[in-house]
């Protein structure tokens, strides 16, 4: 079946599912495959659960029934359908990628733009080859702008996503040492994230929003229309900002060039979040959102995704940043924790995964930083931290930490909790 024919079906049944356990009445089921499952085997069940059609790519699962649609590759068909839908509607799209901060920045951009526009934006971390097309297929004619997050852990993945999304403008929040195992090197990270720039460079009337103090991004931005933001007034920025206080929440001032300053009292932990906030202000300003509306949107944003989040319990105050960790984000979190004028301090840190050959060195840098900066009450979780040379307490996994907390739970501490999602430190706040 041609994409145009499938699109006519989609217009009558505009809800997509890839899970036979979640089949809204009249939806379309795409039989995707994974390492341990074959969606084709669940096509019958999807119809029984209420789907109007099932899209399969293995002939043995395609029955003589008009509700079965056979294609060569279900994933590619899903992506092609999403691209066709995006191009048919012609919605203005902001593409967001980067090593750190892309999810927070995406949410801040959407919050700011929502002051003036009807905005669709990526929910959670649906930023991969499946999540991105599913998000695009939620576009409706009433949406005026979409903010689409794109993630990658291997070369070429951003190119695949931008070819589906075809963003009109974009932002790379930063580049850092993450997923080195997949990218092969830090240079591989830069090249892959830069695939967004490569696409926009070839698109007329495109715009790139750039943190002007990031030399890596400046180095790959030639030939692009750039609109800058940052904290250095000497740079060619459209939006400037400076941290006023960060104990523990980030407060800062921002202004457009030659404009009045606006004070923002945010609900985010960490001075490094000023760049995410300024990115959203810069993009909002470009799209004509009023300065007061931008300020209100930034002040009212409350994180709820285990990123830069303060959680107050009966016993402690927790700085929860457990969604992910890599050397760049870990260093930023630890510098901020060191500089916070609070006490006493404790850190529970989990392994930074997928670092490949640099893992031993980067984990040792973390414990050296802690020792050199006087942060002494530290629990380290995971096999990578287990190999480091230090006197801090070490735990094999989160279960071992939970057993310790059941016997000896700290009280009255400011506790930074940070590690890769696979270490599951997100299970600890309820126990602290």
């Amino acid at each position: 079946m041609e994409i145009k024919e499938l699109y006519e079906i989609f217009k009558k049944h505009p809800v997509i599912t890839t899970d036979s356990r979640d089949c809204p009445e009249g939806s379309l089921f795409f039989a995707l495959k994974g390492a341990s499952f074959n969606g084709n085997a669940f096509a019958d069940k999807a119809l029984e659960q209420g789907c109007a059609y099932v899209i399969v790519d293995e002939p043995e699962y395609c029955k003589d029934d008009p509700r079965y649609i056979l294609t060569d590759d279900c994933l590619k068909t899903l992506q092609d359908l999403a691209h066709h839908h995006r191009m048919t509607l012609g919605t203005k799209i902001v593409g967001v990628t980067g090593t750190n901060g892309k999810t927070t920045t995406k949410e801040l951009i959407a919050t700011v733009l929502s002051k003036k526009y009807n905005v669709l934006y990526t929910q959670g971390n649906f930023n991969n080859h499946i999540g991105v097309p599913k998000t695009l297929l939620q576009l409706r004619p009433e949406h005026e702008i979409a903010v689409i997050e794109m993630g990658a852990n291997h070369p070429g993945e951003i190119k695949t996503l931008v070819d589906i999304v075809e963003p009109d403008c974009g932002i790379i929040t930063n580049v850092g040492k993450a997923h080195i195992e997949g990218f092969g090197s830090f240079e591989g990270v830069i090249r892959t994230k830069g695939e967004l720039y490569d696409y926009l460079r070839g698109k007329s009337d495109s715009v790139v929003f750039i943190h002007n103090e990031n030399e890596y991004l400046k180095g790959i931005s030639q030939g692009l229309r750039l609109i800058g933001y940052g904290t250095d007034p000497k740079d060619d920025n459209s939006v400037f900002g400076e941290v006023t206080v960060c104990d523990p929440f980030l407060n800062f001032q921002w202004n457009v060039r030659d404009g009045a300053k606006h004070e923002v009292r945010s609900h985010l932990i960490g001075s490094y979040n000023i760049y995410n906030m300024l990115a959203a202000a810069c993009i909002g300003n470009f799209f004509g959102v009023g300065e007061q509306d931008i300020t209100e949107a930034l002040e009212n944003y409350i994180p709820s995704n285990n990123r830069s989040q303060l959680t107050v319990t009966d016993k402690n105050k927790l700085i929860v940043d457990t969604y992910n960790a890599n050397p760049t984000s870990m260093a930023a979190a630890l510098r901020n924790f060191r500089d916070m004028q609070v006490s006493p301090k404790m850190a529970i840190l989990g392994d930074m995964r997928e670092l490949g050959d640099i893992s031993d060195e980067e984990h040792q840098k973390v414990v050296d930083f802690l020792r050199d900066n006087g942060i002494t009450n530290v629990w380290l979780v995971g096999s990578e931290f287990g190999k480091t040379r230090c006197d801090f307490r070490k735990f094999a996994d989160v279960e071992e930490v939970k057993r310790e907390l059941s016997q000896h739970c700290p009280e009255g501490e400011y506790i930074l909790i940070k590690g890769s999602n696979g270490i599951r430190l997100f299970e600890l706040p309820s126990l602290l």
Side-chain angles (χ1 to χ4, degrees), residues 4-61:
K4 289 183 180 179
E5 294 177 80
L6 181 58
Y7 189 60
E8 292 303 313
I9 293 174
F10 168 75
K11 287 195 294 185
K12 297 175 184 176
H13 303 277
V15 177
I16 301 296
T17 181
T18 58
D19 187 343
S20 62
R21 298 165 298 182
D22 179 20
C23 294
E25 191 69 29
S27 58
L28 303 183
F29 174 75
F30 280 78
L32 302 185
K33 298 171 187 171
S36 59
F37 66 89
N38 182 353
N40 288 274
F42 299 93
D44 290 350
K45 181 181 176 184
L47 288 172
E48 292 171 4
Q49 295 289 99
C51 287
Y53 291 87
V54 293
I55 294 85
V56 298
D57 56 14
E58 294 184 6
E60 58 267 36
Y61 292 99

Side-chain angles (χ1 to χ4, degrees), residues 7 10-11 14 81-93 118 120 133-146 164-166 168:
Y7 189 60
F10 168 75
K11 287 195 294 185
L81 180 65
H83 177 258
H84 185 83
H85 180 55
R86 178 267 181 277
M87 299 308 292
T88 299
L89 291 182
T91 311
K92 186 75 71 175
I93 293 184
N118 187 328
L120 174 76
K134 288 177 76 172
T135 299
L136 288 177
L137 287 166
Q138 294 174 24
L139 277 170
R140 299 294 177 261
E142 60 267 26
H143 290 128
E144 298 167 284
I145 297 180
I164 297 169
V165 175
E166 294 208 28
D168 301 281

Side-chain angles (χ1 to χ4, degrees), residues 119-350:
V119 180
L120 174 76
Y121 65 99
T122 303
Q123 297 298 306
N125 65 324
F126 279 29
N127 61 13
N128 66 4
H129 59 298
I130 298 172
V132 166
K134 288 177 76 172
T135 299
L136 288 177
L137 287 166
Q138 294 174 24
L139 277 170
R140 299 294 177 261
E142 60 267 26
H143 290 128
E144 298 167 284
I145 297 180
V147 184
I148 305 297
E149 179 183 341
M150 295 173 285
N153 53 25
H154 288 86
E157 289 184 331
I158 295 299
K159 182 183 187 308
T160 296
L161 296 178
V162 295
D163 286 345
I164 297 169
V165 175
E166 294 208 28
D168 301 281
C169 55
I171 178 172
I172 303 174
T173 57
N174 52 52
V175 288
K177 294 178 180 178
H179 304 297
I180 298 297
E181 212 167 49
F183 289 119
S185 65
F186 180 47
E187 291 71 25
V189 177
I190 297 172
R191 283 194 302 271
T192 301
K193 301 300 181 184
E195 290 165 0
L196 174 60
Y197 283 2
D198 294 339
Y199 170 79
L200 291 170
R201 193 176 283 111
K203 185 180 177 73
S204 62
D205 300 324
S206 67
V207 175
V208 164
F209 305 97
I210 188 169
H211 175 206
N212 264 324
E213 292 143 300
N214 190 307
E215 292 304 317
Y216 297 118
L217 297 180
K218 294 286 282 186
I220 60 173
S221 65
Q222 296 83 1
L224 291 162
R225 179 189 173 194
L226 302 176
I227 297 179
Y229 61 91
T231 57
D232 189 343
K234 297 192 293 272
D235 282 333
D236 183 22
N237 291 321
S238 68
V239 167
F240 300 87
E242 60 178 343
V243 175
T244 53
V245 68
C246 198
D247 282 332
F249 292 118
L250 167 65
N251 291 1
F252 69 98
Q253 291 182 336
W254 76 277
N255 63 284
V256 299
R257 181 174 290 280
D258 301 323
K261 289 188 175 181
H262 305 274
E263 181 77 23
V264 174
R265 297 174 175 84
S266 84
H267 293 88
L268 286 171
I269 300 289
S271 57
Y272 50 86
N273 272 303
I274 188 172
Y275 302 112
N276 302 330
M277 290 274 190
L278 291 177
C282 180
I283 294 171
N285 180 63
F286 175 81
F287 281 103
V289 180
E291 293 175 30
Q292 188 57 44
D293 282 341
I294 291 172
T295 298
E296 288 179 4
L298 296 177
E299 283 201 329
N300 292 335
Y301 173 74
I302 298 176
S304 59
N305 51 17
N306 291 324
R307 293 171 170 91
S308 304
Q309 191 174 324
L310 180 69
T311 299
V312 179
T313 71
D314 292 339
K315 297 178 181 178
N316 300 288
K317 294 181 179 179
L318 314 178
I319 301 164
V320 183
D321 197 353
T322 61
Y323 183 76
N324 220 334
N326 56 61
T328 307
S329 66
M330 184 69 82
L334 290 177
R335 285 195 300 270
N336 181 74
F337 193 50
R338 174 198 63 190
D339 295 340
M340 285 175 59
Q341 300 300 306
V342 298
S343 65
K345 295 178 182 178
M346 176 181 180
I348 302 177
L349 306 179

